């Protein structure tokens, strides 16, 4: 068993969104994604890994395969790995999401942390 504190992974940067890994295991990858207003994640896919994203605070504009949807705190989103996913914090508030990718993607880049350490 492992226990981590999400609050320790809620870190914002004015220069870029941040990603802080909670669990990087053989079968699953889990991290906290943090975005200031105006920051965005460009369109991408997650190989054969499905994505579950739980908006913990704030909100954003989510685009999946060209379909745009506003998401807010409390929303939980499920996307299949082949779907093209992007996210833009178009609100005036910070946003944090709890993200799970399973099965764990093969490329190391998915487990890399992003933003000031």
């Amino acid at each position: 068993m492992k226990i981590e504190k999400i609050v320790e992974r809620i870190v914002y940067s004015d220069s870029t969104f941040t990603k802080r890994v909670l669990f990087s295991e053989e079968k699953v990858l889990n991290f906290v994604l943090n975005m200031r207003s105006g920051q965005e994640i460009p369109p991408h896919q997650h190989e054969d890994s499905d994505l579950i994203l739980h908006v913990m605070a704030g909100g954003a504009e989510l685009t999946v395969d060209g379909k745009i949807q506003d998401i807010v705190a409390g929303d939980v989103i499920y996307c299949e790995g082949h779907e093209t996913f992007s996210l833009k914090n178009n609100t005036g508030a910070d946003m944090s999401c709890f993200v799970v990718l399973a099965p764990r993607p093969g490329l190391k880049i998915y487990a890399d942390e992003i933003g000031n350490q």
Side-chain angles (χ1 to χ4, degrees), residues 45-51 80-82 101-106 110:
Q45 296 176 329
H46 296 102
E47 300 179 1
D48 294 324
S49 302
D50 291 351
L51 172 134
E80 295 180 3
H82 64 84
L101 290 173
R104 179 194 170 92
Y110 289 104

Side-chain angles (χ1 to χ4, degrees), residues 97-115:
C97 300
F98 179 86
V99 180
V100 177
L101 290 173
R104 179 194 170 92
L107 295 177
K108 179 189 174 298
I109 191 169
Y110 289 104
D112 290 344
E113 293 199 340
I114 297 172

Side-chain angles (χ1 to χ4, degrees), residues 20-79:
R20 296 292 184 266
V21 175
L22 285 159
F23 300 107
S24 181
E25 305 299 327
E26 180 182 344
K27 296 181 181 179
V28 67
L29 174 64
N30 167 243
F31 52 87
V32 178
L33 184 63
N34 306 287
M35 300 172 73
R36 293 249 189 237
S37 181
Q39 293 177 342
E40 58 188 287
I41 296 172
H44 65 286
Q45 296 176 329
H46 296 102
E47 300 179 1
D48 294 324
S49 302
D50 291 351
L51 172 134
I52 297 173
L53 182 141
H54 173 208
V55 183
M56 298 185 301
E61 179 182 274
L62 169 72
T63 304
V64 177
D65 284 346
K67 182 179 178 188
I68 299 171
Q69 176 75 42
D70 288 330
I71 57 174
V72 296
D75 287 347
V76 179
I77 296 90
Y78 170 80
C79 296

